[in-house]
Amino acid sequence: MTTYFLSYARLDERVALRVADALIAAGVSVWVDQYDIRPSQHWDRAVETAVRGCEGMVVILSPRSAASSNVADEVSVALDGQKDIIPILIEPCTPPLRMTRMQFLDATKDFDEAVRRCVTTIRRQAGEAEAPREEAGPMAPGLSGDVLQDAKRRLTGFMGPIAGVLVRQAAGKASNRRELYEELARSIANPLDRKSFLDWATDHRPAGQVVTPRTTKIPEGPPAPDRITTEEVEAITSALKPYLGPIAAQLVARERQAADSREGLCQRLSLRISGEKERLQFLRTTRAE
């Protein structure tokens, strides 16, 4: 599934995130600033990179977004890049000049139907856009479909839904797994995250694969990293909600893909909390549970 950028006015955040969650639940890859911009990233640069790298845009239309210069800039960049644009009307308004001739989905009367039609449109457009890529030419040795999917899953924990676009771009420059990961690591701003991602370049076990226990006796040694249970995920999510609100569950699910232990997951999530005092309180709470 190709990545779609969600453009909206800040005052429409509640409805916009509702649309984003509905699309994500339907399997659509959506880039949302509230979910995908890391604390260390510059907002303007992150948004511009995401708009230029996405394959399409969903615009939440309202009087606020119609008057927003940020939304106008995002739409202009998308149109200049010949991206597919799907406007969803959540409140009657006069659309921006460059969108007046576009067909929009009306969510003012039936929100669920508008989202369903949006998903159908995205899937249709994605199918038309992605088919030619299968005939792009012979794949470099060492870059099988499994390797690319594995890299996408791992990179998503750091970069969000735009990971698929980055993997496709990097695949054209790499001739093996190591080169692919080194190319992808350039997009990760945080040095510690970058190192963590590169460590996977030498791990040839697919992401999420369960290792079958050996039949031979294993020498005693340090305990293996703790696995993150469903109960722990629920407890961590509850601890994070007071600081980040409804997006906590989405962030926990995403960061869990890149974390190899409960402590590692909590450390990654703490970076999303802006205040140092609040960050330490979150870590103390999760360690006490």
Side-chain angles (χ1 to χ4, degrees), residues 4 85-86 105 115-127:
Y4 272 67
I85 295 184
I86 305 173
L105 303 178
V115 171
R116 187 192 66 77
R117 291 178 59 195
C118 182
V119 172
T120 299
T121 301
I122 289 174
R123 285 176 175 162
R124 183 175 65 250
Q125 292 173 343

Side-chain angles (χ1 to χ4, degrees), residues 20-59:
D21 290 344
L23 293 177
I24 291 171
V28 176
S29 179
V30 184
W31 193 97
V32 190
D33 59 349
Q34 293 289 306
Y35 296 166
D36 298 299
I37 296 182
R38 292 181 172 272
S40 59
Q41 289 183 292
H42 188 284
W43 189 88
D44 288 342
R45 287 197 290 269
V47 167
E48 181 179 1
T49 299
V51 173
R52 295 189 185 281
C54 74
E55 304 250 352
M57 176 180 287
V58 174
V59 182

Side-chain angles (χ1 to χ4, degrees), residues 18 31 60 65 102 154-155:
R18 183 184 171 196
W31 193 97
I60 305 301
S65 62
M102 292 183 185
R154 297 188 189 280
L155 188 64

Side-chain angles (χ1 to χ4, degrees), residues 58-71:
V58 174
V59 182
I60 305 301
L61 268 181
S62 73
R64 277 81 57 193
S65 62
S68 168
S69 58
N70 285 335
V71 171

Side-chain angles (χ1 to χ4, degrees), residues 26-226:
V28 176
S29 179
V30 184
W31 193 97
V32 190
D33 59 349
Q34 293 289 306
Y35 296 166
D36 298 299
I37 296 182
R38 292 181 172 272
S40 59
Q41 289 183 292
H42 188 284
W43 189 88
D44 288 342
R45 287 197 290 269
V47 167
E48 181 179 1
T49 299
V51 173
R52 295 189 185 281
C54 74
E55 304 250 352
M57 176 180 287
V58 174
V59 182
I60 305 301
L61 268 181
S62 73
R64 277 81 57 193
S65 62
S68 168
S69 58
N70 285 335
V71 171
D73 290 342
E74 292 162 4
V75 170
S76 293
V77 172
L79 287 173
D80 291 344
Q82 298 183 325
K83 313 288 186 182
D84 295 318
I85 295 184
I86 305 173
I88 298 181
L89 184 70
I90 63 169
E91 192 174 325
C93 67
T94 301
L97 180 62
R98 299 191 71 178
M99 298 179 65
T100 52
R101 296 184 180 180
M102 292 183 185
Q103 180 85 21
F104 60 81
L105 303 178
D106 190 351
T108 61
K109 298 178 181 178
D110 191 333
F111 177 88
D112 292 337
E113 174 62 16
V115 171
R116 187 192 66 77
R117 291 178 59 195
C118 182
V119 172
T120 299
T121 301
I122 289 174
R123 285 176 175 162
R124 183 175 65 250
Q125 292 173 343
E128 295 171 356
E130 291 177 354
R133 291 195 182 100
E134 300 298 326
E135 304 172 2
M139 187 176 295
L143 291 183
S144 66
D146 288 343
V147 169
L148 297 180
Q149 285 299 319
D150 188 26
K152 177 183 175 182
R153 284 193 294 269
R154 297 188 189 280
L155 188 64
T156 296
F158 300 96
M159 301 298 294
I162 200 173
V165 176
L166 296 174
V167 169
R168 287 199 299 271
Q169 293 173 345
K173 304 175 183 178
S175 60
N176 56 52
R177 179 189 175 94
R178 182 72 196 184
E179 290 181 6
L180 174 68
Y181 276 69
E182 289 175 349
E183 183 64 31
L184 292 171
R186 301 176 192 275
S187 62
I188 303 175
N190 186 292
L192 293 177
D193 285 348
R194 191 183 311 123
K195 180 181 182 304
S196 177
F197 178 76
L198 282 172
D199 286 344
W200 275 324
T202 55
D203 178 9
H204 294 276
R205 188 177 69 235
Q209 176 177 315
V210 177
V211 180
T212 303
R214 300 180 184 180
T215 55
T216 57
K217 184 177 180 180
I218 301 176
E220 293 184 1
D226 59 309

